[in-house]
C-alpha cells in the first residue's frame, strides 16, 4: 500500500500529461491527476477509496523519451514528468490485455447478467477488441450459489480483487481472499468454504456492488439485468479515513 504523506509535508508538483501542463499534489497518483483533469486512462482493478492493487496493468502509461511502462494507478505524480497515455504501443498492449482476459475465462456476454453494464465489456469497446486473437482456454470454473442472496460465477471473474479489498478495508469482515497462483488463482470465501456457509460474511453486498463483471451478482437476475451502485464507497472511505 502506498504511504500517506501528512498534510504539512505535501507539495504541489507540475507535470505534463499528453503535452498538457497539469498540477498535482505530490501524494497523488498519475491516474488520479489524469482523472481530475478529464484525461481518461483505462483501468480495471483500481477503485477510488480502496488500496491500490496494480494487477490489471490496463492503466499503463509511458514517459516521453523513456521506454519503460508504469502503472498510472500506483505511480505518484512528480515534478517535471512528461506522461503519455495513448501511444500506439499502449493501445496495442491494452488491447492485448483485454483479449487475454476474455480468453482466460468464459465471458459469454450475450447470456451474462451484466451484459450492457460490464466494465470488461466497456473496456473491450474502448480498446477496439472486436475479436480475440489467442485461443480461448475454455476451462470450466465453478459457480457457487450457496449464499441466500448472492452468487459467485468464477467463469466471469477477472481477479481484480475489488471484492477482497472492499470486504477487508471497508466492511472489515475479510470474508474474501485469493487462493492459488496464475491461471489457477481464484477468489474464495472463508478459507475456501461455500459462500453460504461463511461465518464472517455480513451479507452487506459491497463486494457485489463493486464487481466489474458478472462474477458477483444478486440471485434472481438474468441476462443484462444486474445493476450496480457503488456510490456508497466514496462516503464510507471518507468516513473511515476521518476516524
Ligand atoms: Fe492500474 Fe489495474 S488500474 S493496474
Amino acid at each position: 500500500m502506498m504511504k500517506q504523506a501528512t498534510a504539512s509535508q505535501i507539495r504541489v508538483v507540475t507535470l505534463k500529461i499528453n503535452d498538457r501542463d497539469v498540477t498535482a499534489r505530490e501524494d497523488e497518483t498519475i491516474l488520479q491527476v489524469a482523472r481530475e483533469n478529464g484525461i481518461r486512462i483505462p483501468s480495471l482493478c483500481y477503485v477510488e477509496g480502496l488500496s491500490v492493487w496494480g494487477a490489471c496493468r490496463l492503466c499503463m502509461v509511458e514517459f516521453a523519451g523513456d521506454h519503460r511502462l508504469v502503472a498510472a494507478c500506483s505511480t505518484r505524480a512528480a515534478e517535471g514528468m512528461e506522461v503519455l497515455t495513448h501511444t500506439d504501443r499502449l493501445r496495442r498492449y491494452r488491447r492485448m490485455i483485454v483479449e487475454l482476459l476474455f480468453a482466460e475465462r468464459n465471458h459469454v456476454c450475450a447470456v451474462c447478467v451484466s451484459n450492457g453494464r460490464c466494465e470488461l465489456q466497456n473496456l473491450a469497446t474502448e480498446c477496439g477488441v472486436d475479436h480475440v486473437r489467442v485461443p480461448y482456454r475454455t476451462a470450466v470454473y465453478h459457480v457457487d450459489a450457496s449464499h441466500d442472496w448472492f452468487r459467485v460465477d468464477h467463469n466471469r471473474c477477472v481477479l481484480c480483487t475489488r471484492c477482497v479489498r472492499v470486504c477487508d478495508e471497508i466492511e472489515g469482515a475479510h470474508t474474501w481472499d485469493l487462493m492459488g497462483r496464475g491461471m489457477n488463482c481464484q477468489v474464495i470465501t472463508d478459507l475456501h468454504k461455500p459462500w453460504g456457509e461463511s461465518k464472517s460474511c455480513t451479507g452487506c453486498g459491497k463486494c457485489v456492488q463493486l464487481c466489474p463483471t458478472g462474477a458477483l451478482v444478486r440471485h434472481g437476475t438474468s441476462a443484462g439485468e444486474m445493476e450496480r451502485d457503488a456510490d456508497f464507497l466514496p462516503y464510507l472511505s471518507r468516513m473511515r479515513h476521518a476516524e
Side-chain angles (χ1 to χ4, degrees):
M1 197 184 299
M2 298 179 73
K3 217 171 145 196
Q4 300 280 325
T6 60
S8 59
Q9 296 170 323
I10 295 170
R11 288 187 309 131
V12 171
V13 294
T14 304
L15 61 153
K16 279 187 196 293
I17 303 183
N18 299 338
D19 270 337
R20 184 167 138 203
D21 287 321
V22 295
T23 54
R25 296 194 322 265
E26 66 173 354
D27 65 337
E28 287 184 291
T29 63
I30 295 170
L31 184 61
Q32 288 171 321
V33 181
R35 285 184 177 184
E36 283 163 15
N37 287 279
I39 301 164
R40 161 117 183 126
I41 300 175
S43 62
L44 186 57
C45 64
Y46 177 80
V47 178
E48 184 83 47
L50 298 183
S51 61
V52 173
W53 181 244
C56 75
R57 312 317 269 178
L58 276 157
C59 69
M60 297 302 268
V61 293
E62 54 185 307
F63 300 124
D66 188 336
H67 68 281
R68 285 173 305 169
L69 301 177
V70 299
C73 68
S74 59
T75 305
R76 290 231 171 108
E79 184 66 36
M81 265 180 177
E82 292 186 36
V83 181
L84 300 169
T85 64
H86 284 81
T87 62
D88 285 347
R89 180 167 69 142
L90 290 170
R91 286 180 214 274
R92 274 201 320 277
Y93 285 180
R94 285 185 190 133
R95 179 179 169 157
M96 181 49 83
I97 291 169
V98 174
E99 285 181 47
L100 290 171
L101 285 171
F102 272 98
E104 186 172 348
R105 300 214 178 174
N106 304 304
H107 300 278
V108 186
C109 299
V111 292
C112 178
V113 293
S114 288
N115 189 12
R117 301 185 176 95
C118 170
E119 291 184 38
L120 181 64
Q121 200 177 40
N122 292 342
L123 281 164
T125 307
E126 180 177 356
C127 297
V129 178
D130 49 11
H131 65 286
V132 173
R133 293 167 292 174
V134 292
Y136 288 95
R137 283 186 59 240
T138 62
V140 177
Y141 288 86
H142 180 58
V143 178
D144 176 358
S146 60
H147 195 282
D148 286 344
W149 306 311
F150 313 121
R151 68 177 180 272
V152 53
D153 181 349
H154 295 280
N155 291 283
R156 305 189 189 283
C157 178
V158 289
L159 299 171
C160 66
T161 74
R162 291 185 187 186
C163 53
V164 177
R165 287 175 285 153
V166 76
C167 186
D168 179 42
E169 297 166 18
I170 303 296
E171 181 61 7
H174 200 131
T175 300
W176 291 100
D177 216 319
L178 284 176
M179 179 187 84
R181 300 174 72 89
M183 59 190 169
N184 296 320
C185 187
Q186 71 170 76
V187 289
I188 53 168
T189 45
D190 276 9
L191 300 177
H192 205 200
K193 278 201 175 126
W195 195 357
E197 291 175 23
S198 166
K199 297 270 188 292
S200 63
C201 176
T202 63
C204 72
K206 292 185 179 69
C207 53
V208 175
Q209 295 304 331
L210 281 195
C211 178
T213 66
L216 293 177
V217 298
R218 275 192 308 277
H219 283 320
T221 45
S222 63
E225 285 185 355
M226 184 65 206
E227 291 182 23
R228 300 179 201 268
D229 178 7
D231 285 352
F232 68 90
L233 188 58
Y235 172 74
L236 289 183
S237 83
R238 218 173 28 250
M239 290 300 108
R240 178 148 288 220
H241 287 119
E243 281 171 9

